[in-house]
Amino acid sequence: MVLHKDGGILDQLAALIGDWDGTLQRRYCHLSNASAFLSGWLEDINWVGFYLVDDSGQNLVLGPFQGKVACTDIPFAKGVCGLCARTGKSVRVDDVHAFPDHIACDSASRSELVVPLFDAKGRVMGVLDADSPKLARFTADDQELLEGAAAVISRLLYS
Ligand code: SME
C-alpha cells in the first residue's frame, strides 16, 4: 500500500474540494489542492497530477501537479496517459522501461499508475497520473484507491 487508509483519505479529499462553484478557475484551484493532498499521502512517488482533455477531444494538456517540470501535451495516441484517456481504463505499468510507448518526463520514474476522470455522461475529461522511482510500486489496492480518488474528483468537479 502506498496510501494510508486510516485517515479516510477519500472523505478528506471530498471535504477539501467539495465546494466547487462551477468555474474553471476554482476547478483548477481544487485540482491543485487535490494533487498536493495526494502527494502528501502517497509514499515513494516522484510525480502526481493531472492531464486534462483539450477542446479537440484528442489531446491531453498538463494540469495541476506536484513534481518536476513535465511535458505539456500528450496526444491520445501516445504514452501511458494517452492509453488511459483513449480507452477510459486505468493503466498500471510495473516497469516503464518495458512499456514501449512510455513518455519519460522524469528519468527517475520506474513505475506508473494512470486512472481516468469522467464527466456525468461518462466521457473522459482527463487523467490522474502517479509516478514512482520504484519498480512495481503500485499495487491493485493502490489502483482501487486512486480510482476512488478519481471518482470523487469526477463527481465533485466534472458533474
Ligand atoms: N509517463 C507519462 C507522461 C506523463 S509524466 O509521467 C508526468 C506517459 O507515458 O504518458
Side-chain angles (χ1 to χ4, degrees):
M1 280 301 302
V2 296
L3 287 170
H4 307 280
K5 277 185 164 172
D6 48 289
I9 182 173
L10 297 186
D11 289 341
Q12 290 182 48
L13 176 62
L16 186 67
I17 66 172
D19 68 343
W20 184 45
D21 62 4
T23 65
L24 189 59
Q25 289 87 348
R26 205 153 290 279
R27 175 188 281 152
Y28 267 71
C29 152
H30 287 322
L31 288 175
S32 299
N33 263 343
S35 68
F37 178 75
L38 291 171
S39 176
W41 278 95
L42 286 159
E43 295 169 1
D44 297 320
I45 58 156
N46 55 323
W47 201 95
V48 62
F50 300 94
Y51 278 92
L52 304 170
V53 178
D54 73 4
D55 289 344
S56 77
Q58 294 299 315
N59 293 289
L60 294 162
V61 179
L62 181 64
F65 69 95
Q66 301 276 306
K68 283 191 176 173
V69 169
C71 49
T72 56
D73 299 86
I74 300 178
F76 271 30
K78 290 196 174 171
V80 184
C81 292
L83 176 61
C84 176
R86 72 177 179 268
T87 60
K89 295 188 187 313
S90 300
V91 184
R92 189 152 47 98
V93 180
D94 285 342
D95 180 358
V96 297
H97 293 171
F99 190 95
D101 207 19
H102 172 255
I103 300 166
C105 291
D106 182 345
S107 60
S109 295
R110 296 306 308 276
S111 58
E112 178 161 9
L113 173 60
V114 186
V115 302
L117 306 175
F118 298 103
D119 71 3
K121 293 180 179 171
R123 294 176 298 202
V124 175
M125 293 286 102
V127 302
L128 170 57
D129 180 13
D131 296 315
S132 172
K134 286 190 169 181
L135 276 173
R137 181 66 192 91
F138 302 101
T139 65
D141 279 353
D142 298 319
Q143 180 174 333
E144 193 180 324
L145 207 49
L146 272 198
E147 286 172 349
V152 167
I153 292 162
S154 296
R155 176 170 57 82
L156 293 175
L157 301 182
Y158 284 97
S159 297

